[in-house]
Amino acid sequence: MDWAGWAVFGLVATAALTAAMIIAQMAGLTRLDLPLVLGTLVTEDPDRARVVGFFIHLLSGQGFALGYAVAFALLHRATWWLGALFGGLHVAIALTVILPLLPGVHPRMASLRAGPSSTAVLEPPGLFALNYGVQTPAVTAVVHVIYGVVLGLLLRTPS
Amino acid sequence: MTDPRPPAPISDYGLLGDTRTAALVSGDGAIDWLCVPRFDGEPVFGRLVGGPAAGTFRVGPVPPAPVVQRRYRQDTATIETTWEVDGRRLTLTESMVAEITGRLLPTTLLVRRLSAEGGTVGAVVEFDPRLGARHRRPRLHRRGNALVCQWGALAVSLDCTPGVTVEPGRTTPVEVVPGRPLTLVLAVADREPLIHVEPEAAWELVLGDEARWRAWTAGIHGSLPFREAVVRSLLTLRLLTYSPSQAPVAAPTMSLPEDPGGVRNWDYRYVWPRDASIGVNAFLGVGKLDEAHGFLAWLLHASRLERPRLPALFTLTGRHVPRERELPGWPGYLGSVPVRTGNGAAGQHQLDGYGWVVDAAWVFVQAGHRLYSETWRAVRGFADVVAGRWGEPDAGIWEVREPGHHVHSKLMGWLALDRALRIGDTHPLPDRQRRRWQEARDAIADEVRTRGFDPAQSSYVRSYGAPDLDSAVLVLPLLGLDDVASARVRGTVDAIRERLSAGGPLLYRYPPGRDGLPGPENAFLPCSFWLVQALASTGRRREAEELFRELLDHASPLGLYAEELDPATGAHLGNYPQTLTHAALVQAALAIRDSPDPGDGGGPV
């Protein structure tokens, strides 16, 4: 297991994913704003939320990188295409499980089941995050594949 | 195809704003203009100049129903319109929430509430958002009560309580029951998730916003002459300020015609340095230091990219204004085509801009503030440009196509150097630079006095060697180039008042037809307020007050002004509402305040 690689390259890969995501968002390809969505778990102020959310995202990216590192170690190989494959699996789980479940734990995210006393206001991503625009699944898939490729290229496996 | 609901007269429109973008709403409850996510964004409701295919958002009675009252709620940005419908009353109260810092709210939140009195009233909701030049229809979704309209990374949601199923592009009938108001909430999301706000919570936000506007206006001194009109103008200036950069947009509209049916249709959703400069004066004059500082900071920030050259206009964030282009297929307001977006004046050399900016810095220094070294460096750069280029022809304040030696531009060049020298008395200034400025300033004064003054008319003229007059020269008494009591100043003010009169208090900018464009010229409102200012500044306070009162009679029913008026019909023309006009109104009132009281009937109004 490449612990040092995980510690460093997990951050590098997450930063690359986040940068690509923000570029896509600024280019008008998607309304998915991951730092905002994650940061509003903690604070109501959107500007602060983006800062907090960025660090939450870095931490969760580090967590996922641990999974990648373990998988590479178990397979005794780390390549860009294997990383891309894991990235594909990762984004499939994110779009079909993690994001649709968010309204269940997010204190400021609306849910179709919310009652009239609900104070939740943030639009939920929905299945495949389609609520944030039809191109969102494609953008999300691309950035996760980038994340996987970066890890596949940089992480080392025990010889 | 004939438009079944042609646009209302320009003065019928009220301004709703959140200091990021603005909507124009007519007396029949139709929002016919709203660009998102900011003033210079794409129109989502563009019927005003784009015709029925460009989208609208109407909430109101089934026409026709007479308006019995329409007003801004006292000292707020909330418009209240009441119609009489079969002996019952229907009231639309609407506002955009401006103060959203620190809360999870949409950047643009428009709230419209219909309430009834005297019995149930039938009304309609017509919601037809279309985006941009091609009037693109949105992808539609329903999320709970909300209708979500999406165009890629831009989304608009409409929520309504009690629940009404609004179908875009169709007229939805609604029944408004007394005691059970109908509240509609429009939220905009650009490149971020939509943020839903329950209609009741949105209404509370409107009330909170009203309280903040009232607190803001309460700080404006009660003894100000014509306070009500001044406060409305200051509120309008604030609503037309893009909060993220503090840039004052010239107007929220594009291609509202200066000549209905003609070609004088320009995009004003950008920022001119002179507007910001006059805004500094206006806000400082009423004690709104933060706003004055915001305008000055924007001026210096925006000019950073091309310093020391000062472009004629900027975008809201200080970038290059997009090239001017025509929108094919847009019918224009009352057939005024072409509809233009972008602005070709951006590439012009306008010497007067330097004068406006340096004067704004001087006003700030005069008020007891010291310039940062970076600010002073910028001001010195501007003065250097003026000292080096004042002899060149320019497009002038009126942005004519053929450059010339405009007297107003030279006067403003003189002003830039004079005020820079004055600031230099209390800020570090090398002797060589000082001498250079002094020489240039004196040379401008000599040249303007000889080549820019026509003894036969006892007046300064529009440009060297031509007999035409120019209302912009009404700034003369404020400069100090000539004594305010001198025959030259008085002669100029009187000659302009007489020879450029468009009737009553109205003035033309210059003799009609002398700008190389087809179509008639109408009265230019800022000039009238500059005349008020000139009269007050030369000790003619009573005349100034009379003129000011007459001008107030020309305001729209909601106290707003466009750039121009048709002298024959009194119709407002050009982009609307206009920052320059409102800033000039405030300056005129301040000049009246500061002029000596004649003693008999000339006191505070």
Side-chain angles (χ1 to χ4, degrees), chain B residues 4-314:
Chain B
R5 184 172 64 79
I10 290 171
S11 61
D12 191 47
Y13 284 92
L15 175 77
L16 300 171
D18 62 3
T19 74
R20 286 162 185 77
T21 187
L24 291 188
V25 57
S26 67
D28 65 356
I31 291 180
D32 287 338
W33 188 253
L34 171 63
C35 291
V36 291
R38 53 185 221 180
F39 294 109
D40 59 355
E42 292 195 285
V44 72
F45 304 122
R47 187 181 185 123
L48 188 62
V49 290
T56 187
F57 181 17
R58 188 168 97 80
V59 175
V62 183
V67 173
V68 290
Q69 189 187 42
R70 190 151 188 251
R71 60 171 190 134
Y72 277 106
R73 289 213 215 187
Q74 183 78 36
D75 292 344
T76 75
T78 303
I79 297 177
E80 207 171 68
T81 308
T82 302
W83 297 277
E84 179 106 14
V85 183
D86 300 330
R88 287 158 281 182
R89 290 198 165 197
L90 182 70
T91 298
L92 174 64
T93 310
E94 53 194 330
S95 184
M96 287 168 86
V97 179
E99 183 56 63
I100 55 169
T101 309
R103 296 184 63 183
L104 189 59
L105 292 171
T107 46
T108 289
L109 182 67
L110 168 70
V111 186
R112 316 187 79 189
R113 170 169 275 201
L114 269 179
S115 54
E117 273 181 78
T120 300
V121 183
V124 291
V125 176
E126 186 186 345
F127 181 67
D128 189 15
R130 308 282 189 93
L131 188 70
R134 288 185 292 150
H135 315 318
R136 283 188 288 146
R137 291 175 191 273
R139 298 167 71 92
L140 299 172
H141 306 274
R142 289 203 181 272
R143 309 242 171 85
N145 284 334
L147 171 71
V148 176
C149 306
Q150 287 196 89
W151 300 263
L154 180 79
V156 167
S157 74
L158 181 69
D159 211 340
C160 183
T161 191
V164 173
T165 305
V166 175
E167 294 288 344
R170 291 192 190 159
T171 302
T172 307
V174 292
E175 296 271 295
V176 187
V177 181
R180 288 191 63 207
L182 178 81
T183 308
L184 296 123
V185 178
L186 183 93
V188 178
D190 176 45
R191 295 178 289 189
E192 64 179 15
L194 269 167
I195 296 168
H196 296 295
V197 183
E198 288 291 322
E200 277 312 308
W203 182 247
E204 291 300 318
L205 289 168
V206 168
L207 298 181
D209 218 42
E210 287 187 348
R212 276 186 291 274
W213 282 124
R214 287 199 178 102
W216 187 81
T217 51
I220 299 164
H221 206 277
S223 65
L224 202 62
F226 308 100
R227 186 178 182 279
E228 195 178 332
V230 173
V231 166
R232 180 50 51 199
S233 284
L234 288 166
L235 266 165
T236 305
L237 288 179
R238 190 65 194 86
L239 288 176
L240 293 178
T241 302
Y242 180 64
S243 277
S245 67
Q246 297 296 311
V249 67
T253 55
M254 65 183 195
S255 288
L256 279 180
E258 293 173 11
D259 165 31
V263 300
R264 296 165 183 258
N265 315 312
W266 318 110
D267 189 351
Y268 272 27
R269 299 171 303 153
Y270 306 109
V271 192
W272 273 256
R274 75 179 66 94
D275 293 5
S277 165
I278 297 174
V280 171
N281 276 279
F283 279 123
L284 216 49
V286 297
K288 291 288 180 191
L289 183 62
D290 288 346
E291 286 74 10
H293 183 260
F295 278 10
L296 184 60
W298 177 83
L299 275 171
L300 295 160
H301 164 78
S303 59
R304 193 176 288 261
L305 282 177
E306 297 193 39
R307 212 175 277 171
R309 193 182 87 83
L310 183 70
L313 61 156
F314 304 90

Side-chain angles (χ1 to χ4, degrees), chain B residues 585-601:
Chain B
L585 182 153
V586 177
Q587 275 197 308
L590 292 172
I592 291 172
R593 179 193 68 183
D594 297 339
S595 69
D597 189 337
D600 49 349

Side-chain angles (χ1 to χ4, degrees), chain A residues 62-76:
Chain A
Q62 202 66 359
F64 283 110
L66 185 62
Y68 281 65
V70 169
F72 289 141
L74 289 175
L75 294 172
H76 298 289

